[in-house]
Amino acid sequence: MSQLPPCPACASEYTYEDGVQLVCPECGHEWTEVEVAASEAAEAVRDANGNELQDGDTVTVIKDLKVKGSSSVVKVGTKVKNIRLVDGDHDIDCRIDGIGAMKLKSEFVKKA
């Protein structure tokens, strides 16, 4: 017998198959394995070109970015090394030379 994945809604291990659907008897959630694979792919952080980003990557800024609360600007072409991915609206934590610690949106960078 194959091992069925746990419920994505409540993490229950008591899932069962009902045709092509997987069902959780504890919370009643129904899903297919295709839906789970698609949602995991959507959770990946991607740059402006669609490349998947990972912790420790080096990225390049593709647009002049104003630094909030300062008169500084992060110029186009600035390389940012050793990024950290975080949850939230700004999904990259990094340190930029001359500016300091910052949070960036992945839509304004490309993988170097």
Side-chain angles (χ1 to χ4, degrees):
M1 185 171 160
S2 67
Q3 181 68 22
L4 296 175
C7 175
C10 71
S12 171
E13 59 186 34
Y14 302 112
T15 58
Y16 63 91
E17 290 179 302
D18 184 19
V20 295
Q21 296 266 346
L22 296 172
V23 181
C24 175
E26 292 184 8
C27 70
H29 182 69
E30 297 181 0
W31 72 100
T32 63
E33 291 188 43
V34 174
E35 291 172 358
V36 172
S39 68
E40 289 174 356
E43 291 176 11
V45 176
R46 301 198 178 275
D47 69 359
N49 295 332
N51 299 319
E52 187 173 337
L53 297 174
Q54 297 179 356
D55 286 341
D57 281 348
T58 299
V59 295
T60 304
V61 177
I62 62 168
K63 176 183 176 183
D64 283 347
L65 302 172
K66 295 178 185 176
V67 178
K68 192 172 187 177
S70 172
S71 61
S72 302
V73 175
V74 179
K75 296 285 189 182
V76 171
T78 302
K79 283 201 173 190
V80 181
K81 299 177 183 175
N82 198 20
I83 64 169
R84 288 179 310 279
L85 301 179
V86 294
D87 291 333
D89 187 31
H90 292 73
D91 42 17
I92 297 174
D93 262 349
C94 62
R95 180 169 299 280
I96 299 177
D97 293 335
I99 295 177
M102 277 193 78
K103 291 185 178 238
L104 298 173
K105 290 186 176 185
S106 59
E107 64 195 65
F108 298 122
V109 299
K110 68 177 181 178
K111 198 168 186 175

